[in-house]
Amino acid sequence: MERDWQDLPPYRAVLAVDTRNFSALDSEAQREVNSGIREVLRSALDVIGLSTEWRKHDFGQHTGDGYVGGLVPTCLPGLIGSFPAALSEALRQWKPRGNVADPVQLRVSVHVGPLDETGIGDPMVHTHRLLDENSLRRVLDRADPQITNVAVVISDRVYEDVFRSGVRTGQTVAGHYREQIAKVKAFERPAWIHVPGLDWRLVDPELFEPPVPAEPAEQPSPKSAEKPSMTFSQQGDGTLFQGYKVTAHVTGGRDD
């Protein structure tokens, strides 16, 4: 009997990174950061024992300000466990030429799902939506780039698959991740954020709240002067006199 269904594409872990404030760099600095990202990724993945897997990664491509690639899903415990701290250290050790004056900060997202060799599909879109999540941006916007150079967001699916499995994840445990609802355009999904070295119990929850614009001070409305009203009075002989009645408000006077 002929099948009327298709095989599901193989599951792949999707790793994506991009550079904070990349557009603020000049063209020469952008080229240097663009080429340096792969060097930093390769170094960090080598440290945690994923150099072989990275050499064979799927649909690798530069995104201008970052890079994206697919790995076998068995790498996930390393990607969300040991990799963030290793990436932070590799980025700190990277020595760009004089074109890049300020420390580089990277946003990282990790997701998993069925993807063919092209990398085109919903899991890839999901990965990039996580990368654009505003809470992740606010973390790095408030951070000192000399101290905090990496912020990571993972999908709820990755979090559940890895931490509920009970496998070892290096020095990073579930408590190093904080749940957040990722909202980007029409996309709204649970996600988990991690900053290497940060204890979320010490963090003000307002860090994840969008800044509230200050309301303009209410201006007192000027008192409108009362218009004089016209009056008529009649004398005993029947003559009418026309006049004006004016009401005046006086403050701060003195009694003489």
Side-chain angles (χ1 to χ4, degrees):
M1 181 177 178
E2 186 176 348
R3 297 195 310 182
D4 58 356
W5 51 274
Q6 293 177 286
D7 290 331
L8 193 66
Y11 274 69
R12 288 180 169 91
V14 186
L15 170 67
V17 301
D18 73 358
T19 308
R20 176 180 176 267
N21 284 346
F22 185 79
S23 60
L25 302 172
D26 61 34
S27 297
E28 191 170 351
Q30 287 181 0
R31 287 191 291 271
E32 185 168 356
V33 170
N34 182 281
S35 62
I37 285 176
R38 287 197 67 177
E39 176 187 336
V40 170
L41 286 174
R42 183 169 56 249
S43 175
L45 290 164
D46 181 58
V47 166
I48 67 170
L50 288 178
S51 58
T52 300
E53 288 81 358
W54 185 243
R55 281 196 298 270
K56 298 184 294 184
H57 71 274
D58 299 307
F59 47 77
Q61 61 179 15
H62 277 290
T63 58
D65 58 353
Y67 194 81
V68 61
L71 293 140
V72 291
T74 52
C75 295
L76 283 172
L79 289 179
I80 73 171
S82 302
F83 176 67
L87 180 64
S88 177
E89 183 59 27
L91 190 58
R92 195 168 283 113
Q93 295 298 324
W94 178 57
K95 303 297 182 186
R97 296 187 297 273
N99 303 321
V100 185
D102 297 325
V104 173
Q105 293 174 293
L106 295 179
R107 293 188 298 271
V108 181
S109 65
V110 180
H111 184 42
V112 65
L115 283 170
D116 64 18
E117 64 280 358
T118 68
I120 299 173
D122 185 70
M124 181 64 72
V125 174
H126 192 140
T127 304
H128 284 282
R129 289 289 182 263
L130 292 176
L131 204 58
D132 290 336
E133 211 280 315
N134 285 329
S135 296
L136 197 68
R137 294 178 179 273
R138 281 194 290 272
V139 166
L140 289 185
D141 286 345
R142 296 193 184 190
D144 182 343
Q146 299 282 357
I147 300 172
T148 302
N149 56 10
V150 168
V152 180
V153 60
I154 66 176
S155 66
D156 189 56
R157 181 174 193 170
V158 168
Y159 181 93
E160 289 289 330
D161 286 354
V162 174
F163 290 118
R164 295 292 293 175
S165 73
V167 300
R168 295 196 307 274
T169 53
Q171 299 300 311
T172 302
V173 297
H176 286 107
Y177 283 84
R178 184 191 190 277
E179 187 174 20
Q180 179 71 15
I181 300 299
K183 298 179 181 179
V184 182
K185 300 180 180 177
F187 178 90
E188 185 172 337
R189 303 282 180 82
W192 297 81
I193 294 177
H194 168 52
V195 177
L198 182 63
D199 183 348
W200 289 113
R201 293 189 178 186
L202 304 178
V203 175
D204 186 344
E206 290 186 0
L207 173 66
F208 293 99
E209 299 299 326
V212 179
E215 294 184 2
E218 186 175 345
Q219 299 295 328
S221 57
K223 293 182 179 179
S224 57
E226 293 190 23
K227 295 181 180 180
S229 56
M230 184 177 293
T231 62
F232 293 89
S233 60
Q234 184 175 7
Q235 299 293 339
D237 59 0
T239 305
L240 286 174
F241 288 91
Q242 178 180 336
Y244 289 92
K245 176 184 177 183
V246 178
T247 302
H249 298 275
V250 180
T251 59
R254 67 178 186 180
D255 295 330
D256 290 327

